[in-house]
Amino acid sequence: MARKSSQPSSKASSAATEKSPASASAPSPKDGHEYQRLFEANPVPMWIYDLQTLRFLDVNEVACQKYGYTRGEFLSMTIRDIRPPEDVAAVEQSVRLTPPEVFNSGVWRHRLKDGRLIYVEITSHELLYGGQLARFVAPLDVTQRVLAETALREREAGLRRAQGLARLAHVVTRADGSFESWSETLPALAGCSADDMPRSLQDWMSRLVDEGDGDAFQRATEQAIHTGAKVETEYRLVRPNGEALQVAQVIEPIETVAGVAGSRWFSTLQDVTARKAAEVVVRSLNEELEHRVAQRTEQLEAMNRDLLAATRAAESASRAKSEFLTRMSHELRTPLNAIIGFSQLLAAPNHRFPADRQTLFNAHILEAGEHLLALIDELLNLARIEAGKLELDLQRWPLHALLAECATMVAPQAQARGLSTRFAMPPPGISVVADRMRLKQVLLNLLSNAVKYNRPQGELDMTVRQLDDEHLRIEVRDSGRGLNEDEIGHLFEPFNRLGREQQGQEAVEGTGVGLVVAKHLVELMGGRIGVSSTPGVGSCFWVDLVFNEAPPADAPADPAERPTAAASQAQAQHTVLLVDDDAPSQQLVQAQLAPRPDLRLVTATNGREGVALAIAYRPAVILMDNQMPELTGRQAFRLLGSDPRTAGIPVVAISAAVEPQGVADDAPWFRRVAKPFGRDELVRAIDAAIGRRGEGSAD
């Protein structure tokens, strides 16, 4: 060679001494010149380094340009200087251990002068250079290849991880249907080992695809083969252990050869069993949610409708009550005006009214008072019913006499309006289960309405007919203007008179609660009440009750058929003790009993005085007010009951209270007469008490 390198340094690495001599020797001068030309002109970086000292002995220009060093810089360095510090130990070990016959020592990292690292593939062989054992090196830059391979490995690793997480796999299929390759995750998806994997589409279908999905799977693969388009399909895959999966598969062509579509296909398979199950659950939950939403919406709509109806009902009730208060003001003031006005006339000093005029004034006062009492009774009855405090005396009562009484009482009103009446009475043997007084109240209300709301010279009928083996119906018909469906719907509402006062007809007295009370009373007696009506023709109100053709022998006799105690004991005189602190009330009772010479009245102004007089006089009956000084009526009643001298005396409670203390609990009065009371009602109570006393006492 034209250029000789320096002799090996005495500090050469001991590792180099273990190397065997190279079979090649240094070239002759002529050969050396040719060698140098080839060495310098070679486009691949080349250098020679001493195996003992690892110093560079020669380097070509391409290597200088590649690594960024001048020739002088190169020849002042060792091969350690172009390696990263962390690779030096491995380099020294490779120099020591690499056999002479090995020409490729693999891929290493080299450091350029600017600090950048490159990957090189080393091809080398040993030789004698200037008498020194050396190694000829040709490093090939493979940085791009190494980086690409690294990136590919990372992508493959990421793909494997992603496929594992997503339960994905893939397979490449040839034109003949055989499997060319598959992912590591495909055997796991199929539930078999790599050795037991199917090797073709046909094998895959026959061994793993569910029989019911085989035709669909085959159609999908044939479509991909013939069209060359992407095809998606789903099918059930049955693993060898019997476990079933739901698999989604996408088939895509990856190569076209000589105009033949789809010579190779890439198929992606995914286990979507969990997703399908979740979809079923979500679908079920959605359906359930939709059902619940629809149900709740329906409930809300129903609630809104109910609320709207309740609001309208409340508004209607409020209007009805307002109208009621206005009406009641008129209804109450009108009789009060007559009572007060005529009473003032009669009470005026030195009045000079003739007897017939005084009689007329008294008649007006009595009529107004009775009308006022009827109004108050209707309101109190409704209040008791709505509070659940009305108690009925349900027994079997003969119906014939009751209806006859009602007909007799309503006949004068009907005649006054020129009505033709027809009252068809049932046979005497028919009885009904009812509270006699309350049933009479109901029927009189229906008959009075039929008179009031009838047309002049109209018709009024009352009939009775049997509905079945247990029920009969009492019908009251009129020939009035009739009711439409809307009016019938509001007929039994409190205070609702259906606008009668605004229809241009003559004024009709009433509170608008009579039918409401009647309905409650009939239902409490186990019956029903209703109406059928035709506008312009008239109305028919009916009451259905339980009946019996033959009343039991111990059924109470009709009050109309009972003899009075006064008739049977006309010659005897009975003491009546009145205990009441109200002087006008005492005077009223005294006046009411004046026509009865068989009754002697004794009065007391408080409960204590009443007890003393009862012991002294031993009266046949005691009339007892409750709210009094000294002792209340109930306290006096207890004292009377505890004394054997007075314990057997019947006590009739007379009170203005709606529900006197003790009537329903610990004060079993013989009878109760509520203020204001009429003379007949008071006398009947006294006669009944005298009758009982006469039957059960020798006093």
Side-chain angles (χ1 to χ4, degrees):
M1 299 181 73
R3 183 171 52 198
K4 300 295 182 179
S5 62
S6 62
Q7 296 296 320
S9 169
S10 61
K11 299 179 181 179
S13 172
S14 60
T17 60
E18 298 179 2
K19 289 288 181 179
S20 58
S23 58
S25 60
S28 64
K30 181 179 178 181
D31 293 338
H33 178 71
E34 294 297 326
Y35 164 78
Q36 188 66 30
R37 286 176 55 194
L38 291 174
F39 184 78
E40 292 293 342
N42 200 299
V44 177
M46 295 180 179
W47 59 68
I48 300 172
Y49 70 89
D50 189 318
L51 283 175
Q52 289 184 351
T53 64
L54 303 183
R55 295 180 64 85
F56 288 100
L57 300 178
D58 201 355
V59 60
N60 69 356
E61 187 61 27
V62 175
C64 293
Q65 294 175 1
K66 179 70 175 179
Y67 285 79
Y69 296 104
T70 64
R71 184 182 297 274
E73 290 173 333
F74 249 121
L75 297 180
S76 66
M77 299 187 302
T78 69
I79 61 173
R80 300 185 187 92
D81 297 323
I82 62 170
R83 305 296 181 112
E86 59 270 23
D87 291 355
V88 171
V91 170
E92 292 178 347
Q93 185 179 18
S94 176
V95 171
R96 291 194 305 270
L97 301 180
T98 301
E101 63 273 14
V102 174
F103 294 96
N104 191 316
S105 59
V107 177
W108 294 86
R109 293 191 301 172
H110 284 181
R111 185 174 61 184
L112 306 182
K113 184 177 182 179
D114 59 11
R116 288 183 296 124
L117 293 178
I118 62 173
Y119 290 90
V120 294
E121 188 173 20
I122 299 297
T123 301
S124 65
H125 66 277
E126 292 186 7
L127 51 73
L128 286 174
Y129 185 82
Q132 297 175 335
L133 189 60
R135 182 172 286 274
F136 173 81
V137 177
L140 178 64
D141 187 352
V142 294
T143 302
Q144 294 302 320
R145 188 192 77 190
V146 169
L147 293 178
E149 290 174 350
T150 300
L152 179 60
R153 285 194 298 271
E154 290 175 353
R155 284 196 296 271
E156 289 177 346
L159 178 61
R160 283 194 297 272
R161 288 193 296 272
Q163 287 184 336
L165 291 173
R167 304 177 70 87
L168 283 168
H170 70 264
V171 60
V172 177
T173 307
R174 301 186 185 93
D176 60 1
S178 62
F179 291 166
E180 179 179 294
S181 62
W182 55 75
S183 65
E184 296 176 359
T185 55
L186 185 61
L189 178 67
C192 58
S193 65
D195 294 337
D196 293 334
M197 269 287 296
R199 303 293 172 169
S200 66
L201 280 175
Q202 187 62 35
D203 194 16
W204 180 273
M205 184 175 70
S206 62
R207 288 174 54 187
L208 299 177
V209 178
D210 185 87
E211 292 182 1
D213 295 341
D215 292 343
F217 177 80
Q218 187 168 1
R219 285 195 299 271
T221 56
E222 289 176 353
Q223 180 184 355
I225 292 172
H226 291 99
T227 64
K230 181 175 74 171
V231 176
E232 298 181 7
T233 183
E234 284 191 13
Y235 55 89
R236 285 166 293 176
L237 182 148
V238 182
R239 288 172 169 174
N241 63 1
E243 182 183 4
L245 306 178
Q246 191 73 18
V247 173
Q249 183 167 340
V250 180
I251 308 171
E252 298 179 273
I254 56 176
E255 186 175 318
T256 301
V257 178
V260 178
S263 60
R264 294 170 70 239
W265 291 271
F266 186 91
S267 294
T268 304
L269 300 90
Q270 184 178 19
D271 177 2
V272 293
T273 307
R275 189 188 74 192
K276 288 295 182 181
E279 289 176 355
V280 171
V281 172
V282 171
R283 187 161 53 249
S284 175
L285 291 175
N286 285 338
E287 292 174 354
E288 182 179 357
L289 180 60
E290 290 175 0
H291 175 70
R292 289 185 178 180
V293 169
Q295 194 176 43
R296 184 58 178 162
T297 301
E298 184 179 353
Q299 292 174 350
L300 290 174
E301 290 175 350
M303 291 172 62
N304 287 335
R305 289 193 297 270
D306 293 343
L307 180 60
L308 180 60
T311 301
R312 289 175 176 172
E315 292 173 350
S316 176
S318 178
R319 287 194 300 270
K321 288 184 179 181
S322 298
E323 294 170 1
F324 162 75
L325 292 175
T326 302
R327 264 196 320 274
M328 284 306 299
S329 176
H330 173 268
E331 296 288 347
L332 293 174
R333 287 177 179 274
T334 299
L336 284 173
N337 181 63
I339 293 171
I340 295 172
F342 287 117
S343 296
Q344 288 175 341
L345 290 176
L346 293 174
N350 303 319
H351 70 80
R352 299 182 182 278
F353 298 113
D356 58 340
R357 294 283 289 173
Q358 293 184 41
T359 300
L360 179 61
F361 290 173
N362 284 329
H364 287 326
I365 292 172
L366 177 60
E367 182 182 0
E370 289 177 345
H371 175 63
L372 187 60
L373 179 60
L375 293 177
I376 295 173
D377 280 344
E378 279 190 354
L379 297 178
L380 294 180
N381 283 333
L382 180 61
R384 291 190 190 100
I385 290 171
E386 292 184 343
K389 294 182 179 180
L390 185 67
E391 296 183 1
L392 301 183
D393 180 20
L394 296 180
Q395 300 185 40
R396 292 189 181 276
W397 295 96
L399 187 59
H400 184 280
L402 176 62
L403 295 183
E405 287 182 31
C406 294
T408 300
M409 295 178 68
V410 80
Q413 303 175 32
Q415 291 174 3
R417 288 183 59 82
L419 304 179
S420 61
T421 60
R422 185 174 67 90
F423 300 119
M425 298 301 173
I430 298 296
S431 65
V432 292
V433 177
D435 181 306
R436 189 181 192 283
M437 182 182 70
R438 296 303 184 184
L439 178 56
K440 184 177 179 180
Q441 176 183 343
V442 170
L443 296 178
L444 285 176
N445 179 275
L446 298 182
L447 289 167
S448 297
N449 285 345
V451 172
K452 290 188 292 186
Y453 298 112
N454 214 323
R455 58 181 173 82
Q457 313 303 317
E459 298 176 352
L460 170 61
D461 295 344
M462 182 174 65
T463 59
V464 180
R465 62 187 178 91
Q466 184 174 336
L467 295 178
D468 51 41
D469 293 340
E470 296 183 354
H471 300 86
L472 58 76
R473 173 169 290 182
I474 304 171
E475 296 179 341
V476 176
R477 296 180 181 273
D478 65 61
S479 55
R481 72 170 184 85
L483 303 169
N484 57 40
E485 291 185 2
D486 182 65
E487 289 175 323
I488 292 175
H490 296 285
L491 188 62
F492 294 97
E493 293 178 356
F495 318 123
N496 194 337
R497 301 184 68 206
L498 305 180
R500 295 290 179 127
E501 63 280 357
Q502 300 175 3
Q503 295 173 358
Q505 62 187 54
E506 58 183 287
V508 178
E509 295 179 346
T511 61
V513 298
L515 285 177
V516 181
V517 172
K519 181 176 186 297
H520 284 298
L521 290 175
V522 171
E523 290 175 351
L524 287 174
M525 289 185 281
R528 295 190 308 152
I529 188 171
V531 61
S532 58
S533 186
T534 303
V537 176
S539 302
C540 174
F541 285 82
W542 48 263
V543 175
D544 294 345
L545 296 170
V546 177
F547 83 100
N548 189 318
E549 292 186 0
D554 59 348
D558 195 303
E561 301 172 0
R562 296 175 183 169
T564 65
S568 62
Q569 302 178 14
Q571 303 304 319
Q573 190 174 49
H574 305 282
T575 299
V576 177
L577 173 59
L578 172 63
V579 187
D580 195 334
D581 63 326
D582 184 57
S585 294
Q586 289 185 0
Q587 295 171 10
L588 175 62
V589 172
Q590 186 175 11
Q592 290 174 332
L593 298 185
R596 289 286 299 270
D598 60 320
L599 301 178
R600 182 179 62 158
L601 184 66
V602 177
T603 61
T605 58
N606 60 65
R608 193 176 303 280
E609 182 183 358
V611 172
L613 291 178
I615 295 174
Y617 283 92
R618 307 286 182 86
V621 60
I622 300 174
L623 306 178
M624 181 79 73
D625 187 29
N626 185 46
Q627 301 295 332
M628 295 182 297
E630 299 291 336
L631 288 176
T632 65
R634 184 170 60 175
Q635 292 169 335
F637 180 85
R638 289 174 179 171
L639 290 176
L640 293 170
S642 64
D643 191 321
R645 294 170 294 179
T646 56
I649 302 175
V651 180
V652 176
I654 56 173
S655 175
V658 174
E659 202 63 53
Q661 293 285 347
V663 170
D665 46 24
D666 61 345
W669 313 100
F670 170 74
R671 186 165 293 184
R672 172 185 168 237
V673 177
K675 294 179 180 179
F677 48 78
R679 177 182 180 278
D680 292 343
E681 184 180 6
L682 179 63
V683 171
R684 281 197 300 268
I686 293 173
D687 286 344
I690 293 173
R692 197 198 76 164
R693 182 74 185 277
E695 296 172 0
S697 174
D699 185 34

